[in-house]
Amino acid sequence: MAEVPLIEVRDVSKHFGTVIALSGVSMTVWPGQVHCLLGDNGAGKSTLIKTLSGVHKPSEGEILLEGRPIVFESPRDALDRGIATVYQDLAMIPLMSITRNFFMGREKSVTRGRGLFERLDMKRANAIAREEMAKIGIDVRDPTQAVGTLSGGERQCVAIARAVYFGAKVLILDEPTSALGVKQASVVLRYVAQARARNLGVVFITHNVHHAWAVGDVFTVLNRGKTLGTFRKDEITREQLLNMMAGGKELEELSTELAEFARSDRARQPEAAAVEEEVAEELEKEVELDEKLAAQEHRLRRDGS
Amino acid sequence: MATTTVGEADERLKQTSFLRRLMGRPELGAVGGAILVLIFFAIVARGTGLFSAMGVLNFLEVSAQLGIIAVAAAMLMIGGEFDLSVGSMIGFAGIVIAIPAVEWGWPLWLTILLAFAVALGVGWINGTIVVRTGLPSFIVTLGGLFILRGLTIGLTRLITGRTQIPGLRPLVEEDWLAGLFAGKVGYGLMQWLGDMGIIATRPDGVPLASGISMSIIWWVVITVLATWVLLRTRLGNWIFACGGDPNAARNVGVPVARVKIGLFMFTAVAATIFALVQTLSVGSADVLRGQLKEFEAIIAAVIGGCLLTGGYGSAVGATFGALIFGTVQMGIFYTGVNTDWFKVFLGVMMLIAVLFNNYVRRKATEGR
């Protein structure tokens, strides 16, 4: 691991009027590491990444880029300094081709000629796009096909591949898997592992502990604008993370409450027992899924390194 | 390793069926439609002179004038906006050229430059209002439609007391810049064709169709340039991106506001070229010139494969849309069918085009 962290967030707070969205948040992103940012809705995840990607400026505290304090003027500024953010649904233009999406905003890198005769070298652009997609294991037969023909997971991958190709050092992925099915999510997760293998720093925002656990090295849990701590994978279990995200204590209280309800219900109605059985079955399925994901994660680790 | 993968993919690429790739082109419908229309009139209007040199140049000129604004409208639509003020801009540009030249004795070249400057200003205002307020361009330019038409009629009446400004013809003949819009070229070619007996000549040997109108040259040049910009330049990629999803485009650093304002300015300039071609070759300006042209331009663009929602379309398509337009208009005239039916045909044609486009877009974006 390198000496200097890619990004260091020190005691950053962000206020919107009287609302305190973030208060005293610190985190560090190292190269070759997947840093998962977990938290329930409204925990401040979005505000934190928008601060990292140059949309917001912190009200207090500072952000260090490779050891030097920095203030991003705009998302473009952050992008030019190697911090690429892939937003969940704003990544791609469906009606444009894969190649045109890939080079959107960065067309200069594939132009030929000068002045009035400057033109896009579409042949080279297509070749690069196809090659970069092949590198992440997605076989695009025809890079001139519209992005709309790709699945959601593949679209996310084009966005990520684009960021990597144009020299991102830090990838910020905003809920990249939350709108995806299991299979598509695994495509994205595999690419996250690959990005790590290429020594990029990855900030992976999610509220899905299973996805985070599958690829994450470090976990930071946010709750109501504050960090509940940062943990290495060997310091914590998935259940602890889940409890923390949901606000720990509250969840415990809830479960005892629910247990009480169940007891009184059972006394009153025999049907309740059936419902309970169903719930138990569901839980069992969940556990099975967990095991599958764990196995997959092992595979990913192997592929990644 | 990587190169072999790419090589293999290349081979498979060639195998993807030609038909499928053709289906992916936005201009397919317009090109097919134009061919059908030409075949139709070749049969129906046989012997009427529609396909004599004179007739061909006639319907090409009608197509060309519309084509000039249709290509600009198509680019703007790809960029995600409309301009309903194009027709009024044509009328307005006409009087900006004519009034100073005829009433105040300005040299024609100066009033031509003035007209372009005014057009750039109008386009800039349209674009800036749309971009800054985020209002639909439909509404903003609908305002422009009435404001410009009103100004055209009001100012002309105020200054000249009439609604027509004749007397441009003598000025055109002595002006160096006017010839770029009003003249004809290719006299030699037409003479040669006449001499060879390919086209009809008058008894003295001069061909009936003596030259190719400048509007046709402008049409071709603008189509070629627009296609080049759209398909092969950075700006073209930006135009598609702006129409496809302005937010995503902005996120990767595309200057969406500048691109859109630029497109509005280009549309107004195209309207001015239309006005110049028409006003200078007829020799007079009329306050009602260009009425309904904004809709005809949009229809041609839609027939040419542009989606109303932006982000998809082609300049070549708009050009063929305009060709369909011109051919049918003149074809109906030559065959002696009541011209009232032209509008019925137009509406039907546009509806078919929209249905077809909708289908193509669904095909283009559905998962495999």
Side-chain angles (χ1 to χ4, degrees):
Chain A
M1 223 169 253
E3 298 286 311
V4 193
L6 284 169
I7 291 188
E8 199 178 344
V9 177
R10 277 190 194 157
D11 287 325
V12 162
S13 300
K14 178 72 195 172
H15 311 174
F16 297 105
T18 55
V19 179
I20 302 167
L22 287 176
S23 100
V25 171
S26 298
M27 68 183 280
T28 312
V29 182
W30 297 89
Q33 194 185 56
V34 177
H35 195 129
C36 295
L37 201 54
L38 296 158
D40 209 355
N41 295 337
K45 292 176 308 213
S46 297
T47 311
L48 180 55
I49 58 147
K50 281 184 177 161
T51 311
L52 283 178
S53 63
V55 177
H56 299 320
K57 285 175 190 147
S59 309
E60 284 162 36
E62 58 178 0
I63 297 172
L64 284 77
L65 180 66
E66 294 181 312
R68 284 184 302 276
I70 194 156
V71 177
F72 297 122
E73 291 304 321
S74 65
R76 181 73 205 215
D77 185 29
L79 189 63
D80 288 341
R81 291 171 196 274
I83 299 179
T85 309
V86 176
Y87 293 99
Q88 189 187 322
D89 47 358
L90 293 178
M92 292 281 125
I93 298 180
L95 280 170
M96 285 170 77
S97 72
I98 294 170
T99 305
R100 283 181 180 273
N101 266 290
F102 195 92
F103 287 96
M104 190 168 65
R106 301 290 186 128
E107 295 89 354
K108 274 271 184 207
S109 61
V110 281
T111 52
R112 287 165 59 174
R114 278 164 183 279
L116 280 176
F117 298 99
E118 188 183 81
R119 59 202 183 274
L120 300 179
D121 185 345
M122 289 311 285
K123 215 172 159 188
R124 189 153 61 95
N126 283 333
I128 292 171
R130 198 184 313 125
E131 200 174 311
E132 290 301 310
M133 294 302 286
K135 274 186 200 166
I136 61 173
I138 294 178
D139 178 28
V140 242
R141 223 171 1 157
D142 179 6
T144 62
Q145 81 192 48
V147 158
T149 61
L150 298 177
S151 71
E154 288 170 329
R155 280 186 221 189
Q156 289 283 337
C157 285
V158 178
I160 298 170
R162 170 172 75 184
V164 172
Y165 179 76
F166 289 109
K169 285 177 265 184
V170 180
L171 264 183
I172 301 175
L173 308 176
D174 181 18
E175 305 263 4
T177 56
S178 57
L180 304 180
V182 178
K183 209 169 173 187
Q184 295 188 2
S186 72
V187 174
V188 175
L189 291 177
R190 187 168 53 180
Y191 194 45
V192 170
Q194 278 190 15
R196 169 177 55 203
R198 290 207 210 170
N199 221 28
L200 267 75
V202 181
V203 179
F204 182 15
I205 294 99
T206 181
H207 55 242
N208 186 325
V209 180
H210 307 301
H211 291 165
W213 193 257
V215 290
D217 300 301
V218 181
F219 305 87
T220 294
V221 184
L222 282 179
N223 190 16
R224 305 174 78 92
K226 291 183 182 155
T227 39
L228 296 180
T230 297
F231 310 91
R232 284 204 316 274
K233 198 170 195 175
D234 52 10
E235 292 173 342
I236 196 164
T237 66
R238 199 177 339 187
E239 287 66 33
Q240 283 170 318
L241 272 180
L242 192 59
N243 272 339
M244 243 190 277
M245 272 173 71
K249 233 176 185 171
E250 293 161 32
L251 203 67
E252 254 168 57
E253 274 167 24
L254 183 68
S255 65
T256 37
E257 247 173 69
L258 282 174
E260 210 127 292
F261 276 137
R263 239 194 318 269
S264 56
D265 275 357
R266 198 161 16 188
R268 256 177 279 143
Q269 303 176 314
E271 300 102 278
V275 175
E276 210 161 81
E277 235 170 47
E278 236 172 75
V279 172
E281 251 170 59
E282 283 295 315
L283 277 172
E284 224 163 55
K285 271 185 209 158
E286 186 83 7
V287 171
E288 263 174 33
L289 185 68
D290 279 7
E291 274 165 5
K292 262 187 212 156
L293 277 166
Q296 190 177 34
E297 172 213 335
H298 276 293
R299 261 206 316 282
L300 286 169
R301 287 237 163 242
R302 219 179 38 223
D303 291 353
S305 50
Chain B
M1 174 65 196
T3 38
T4 46
T5 336
V6 170
E8 279 166 21
D10 244 339
E11 278 160 28
R12 277 185 302 171
L13 188 62
K14 278 175 194 128
Q15 284 171 20
T16 52
S17 83
F18 177 70
L19 198 71
R20 212 203 146 80
R21 287 172 65 78
L22 205 65
M23 281 295 286
R25 307 288 321 158
E27 56 270 9
L28 171 73
V31 175
I35 292 170
L36 278 182
V37 163
L38 285 171
I39 291 173
F40 176 77
F41 280 108
I43 296 164
V44 173
R46 205 173 15 166
T48 60
L50 179 65
F51 287 92
S52 70
M54 195 68 179
V56 168
L57 284 177
N58 265 345
F59 75 70
L60 280 184
E61 189 168 346
V62 172
S63 309
Q65 293 191 356
L66 179 62
I68 290 167
I69 52 172
V71 168
M75 286 183 89
L76 185 63
M77 277 175 82
I78 295 169
E81 306 291 346
F82 289 106
D83 190 349
L84 296 184
S85 68
V86 172
S88 299
M89 186 62 223
I90 291 169
F92 193 60
I95 67 149
V96 170
I97 301 156
I99 291 181
V102 175
E103 299 288 319
W104 308 332
W106 289 26
L108 208 46
W109 61 265
L110 190 62
T111 69
I112 292 172
L113 294 183
L114 177 71
F116 278 119
V118 168
L120 288 172
V122 169
W124 185 84
I125 292 169
N126 271 339
T128 307
I129 294 175
V130 168
V131 168
R132 292 267 172 273
T133 62
L135 288 169
S137 50
F138 182 89
I139 282 301
V140 172
T141 58
L142 188 60
L145 185 157
F146 285 99
I147 294 170
L148 284 177
R149 185 63 71 192
L151 275 178
T152 308
I153 299 173
L155 287 175
T156 311
R157 277 245 175 81
L158 194 69
I159 296 169
T160 68
R162 292 164 306 193
T163 55
Q164 278 187 328
I165 309 160
L168 280 167
R169 180 141 300 167
L171 299 173
V172 172
E173 272 155 27
E174 31 189 81
D175 195 84
W176 58 273
L177 190 57
L180 209 55
F181 302 95
K184 287 184 175 175
V185 290
Y187 292 107
L189 174 71
M190 299 313 275
Q191 186 68 57
W192 179 77
L193 287 173
D195 293 343
M196 298 297 287
I198 297 170
I199 60 174
T201 55
R202 287 202 300 239
D204 59 356
V206 178
L208 287 172
S210 60
I212 299 162
S213 151
M214 279 307 291
S215 57
I216 296 172
I217 308 295
W218 277 102
W219 180 33
V220 173
V221 168
I222 287 179
T223 303
V224 170
L225 273 182
T227 304
W228 160 266
V229 166
L230 280 176
L231 296 182
R232 281 292 172 272
T233 69
R234 199 153 67 112
L235 177 61
N237 217 31
W238 290 354
I239 292 171
F240 280 108
C242 287
D245 186 340
N247 280 325
R250 218 172 278 124
N251 271 354
V252 294
V254 174
V256 175
R258 269 198 293 150
V259 170
K260 287 196 171 180
I261 293 173
L263 287 172
F264 274 106
M265 291 165 80
F266 176 58
T267 316
V269 164
T272 305
I273 294 174
F274 182 108
L276 280 165
V277 164
Q278 208 182 40
T279 310
L280 297 185
S281 50
V282 175
S284 71
D286 187 317
V287 293
L288 294 183
R289 282 264 156 75
Q291 261 186 334
L292 289 181
K293 285 293 169 199
E294 57 280 329
F295 292 110
E296 292 181 8
I298 289 172
I299 290 173
V302 169
I303 291 174
C306 287
L307 291 181
L308 292 155
T309 43
Y312 193 74
S314 108
V316 174
T319 271
F320 276 90
L323 180 64
I324 292 177
F325 226 105
T327 311
V328 174
Q329 198 173 358
M330 293 316 281
I332 285 179
F333 174 75
Y334 270 85
T335 47
V337 177
N338 189 335
T339 44
D340 296 345
W341 298 102
F342 176 59
K343 291 211 167 108
V344 176
F345 170 83
L346 213 65
V348 172
M349 188 77 197
M350 196 198 66
L351 276 180
I352 293 172
V354 171
L355 289 173
F356 182 74
N357 288 350
N358 217 19
Y359 169 77
V360 168
R361 178 184 39 183
R362 244 199 352 260
K363 275 275 170 222
T365 56
E366 77 190 0
R368 293 189 177 164

